[in-house]
Amino acid sequence: MRKQIILITGANGEMGHGLISQLAENGITNILAIDIKPVDESLQSMCQLALTGDILDNELFDRLVSEYEILTIYHLAAVLSTHAEFTPEAAHRINVQGTLNLLRLAIEQSRWQGRSVKFLFPSSIAVYGVPNLEIKTKAGKVKESDFNQPTTMYGCNKLYCEVLGRYYQQHYRQLAADPEPYGVDFRSIRFPGLISAVTVPSGGTSDFAPEMIHRAAQHQPYNCFVREDTRIPFMAMPDAIKALLLLEQADQKRLTKIAYNIGAFNPSAGEIYKIIKKIYPNSLIDFKPDLKRQKIVDTWPADVDDTAAQNDWDWKPDYDLCRAFEEYLIPTISKRYQR
Ligand code: SER
C-alpha cells in the first residue's frame, strides 16, 4: 500500500511555514514537505517526511509516484516578483516548468487513484498590470478578468500557470483516443501582499509593508522603497492560510473560477507608517522610493473585488487592518524580538 500524503512544495517559504503550522494545529501531519534548501527544523517535526529537492528534478517526482498516494498538492514554491526580474529566464523555469512538472505529477496520481487530485496554487495580484495611476485610482476594486497584462516575469508566470491549470483540469490530451478521465482539480487564489508575524519575506515587491513592521519592532531604521501614497491590498498570513484551506475544502460544483481574488485591507504605505509610529514611536522610517520597484507596485491594483470567492466558497477574512495589528502582528512580533 502506498502511503497517503499531502505534498507541499516551497515548504520553507512564508506560506509554507504558515500552512504546515496550521495543518499541524488541525492534527494533520501526513505531510511530505519539499524545499530546495533543507526544510527548517521547526517544520520537520510537523511533517511525515521533509525532502531537500528541486521541483525541476523529474526523477524526484517519479520516485514519489511509486511510493506515495498524493491526496492534495499545495504548490507554493516560486521565485517572487523582485527576484525574478534579476534572472527572468531562471525564474520562468522555476515558476512555469516547475509548475508543469507538478501538474504532470498530479495527472499521474489522478489516474492511479481514479479521481482528480486537488492542486492548490497561489497566484498573485502581480497578474494585474494597471496602465497608470489615474486608471488605478479610478478602477478601485478590480475583477479577476480586468487588466490581465502583467509587467513582471513573475506576474506573467503566475497568469500563465493559472491558464495551464485550467488546461490540465478541462482539456488535457483532448484529442487522445482515450481522453483523460479525471484531470487535475486545480484551484488558485490571487493573493494580495502577505504580512506574517513569524517570518520575513524575501524577493517580493510588496515586501515594503512587512519589512517596515519587522524593522520597527527591532528598533532598526528602514527606508521604505515606495511612496507614501502607494496603495495595494494586503492580508495577514493567518487569513491567507485560512483561504487556502477553505478553497481546498470547497465543493467543486460551486466553483465558477480557476483563480479567485481575495481581499482583506488595503492601506497606503503612509497609513501603515502612521500605525507603526503609534506603536513604536521611536522607529526610524524614511520614504526613499526606488523608482523601478515603485513602477511595478503602481501597476498592481489598489483593491480587489472578491465577490466570487465570497459567493463560491464563503470567503471572509478574520482580520481587518486594525485587528491584524492589535491581535496578530504586534503581540506575535514583539514576543519574537524580545527573546
Ligand atoms: N507579494 C508577492 C511579491 O511581491 C507577489 O505575489 O512578489
Side-chain angles (χ1 to χ4, degrees), residues 79-82 123-126 154 158 191-194 203-207 232 300:
V79 180
L80 295 189
S81 56
T82 291
S123 185
S124 163
I125 52 163
Y154 173 80
K158 286 293 182 186
F191 284 103
L194 299 179
T205 319
S206 61
D207 293 2
I232 57 168
W300 293 353

Side-chain angles (χ1 to χ4, degrees), residues 148-210:
N148 284 188
Q149 276 150 5
T151 65
T152 59
M153 178 53 102
Y154 173 80
C156 294
N157 296 162
K158 286 293 182 186
L159 188 59
Y160 176 57
C161 286
E162 291 177 6
V163 178
L164 272 181
R166 182 193 305 282
Y167 172 76
Y168 272 78
Q169 182 176 80
Q170 297 169 8
H171 309 294
Y172 186 69
R173 293 176 67 243
Q174 56 191 308
L175 296 183
D178 54 339
E180 201 59 43
Y182 309 107
V184 175
D185 186 352
F186 184 89
R187 305 170 180 208
S188 172
I189 295 174
R190 290 180 180 170
F191 284 103
L194 299 179
I195 311 178
S196 167
V198 291
T199 49
V200 193
S202 76
T205 319
S206 61
D207 293 2
F208 61 90

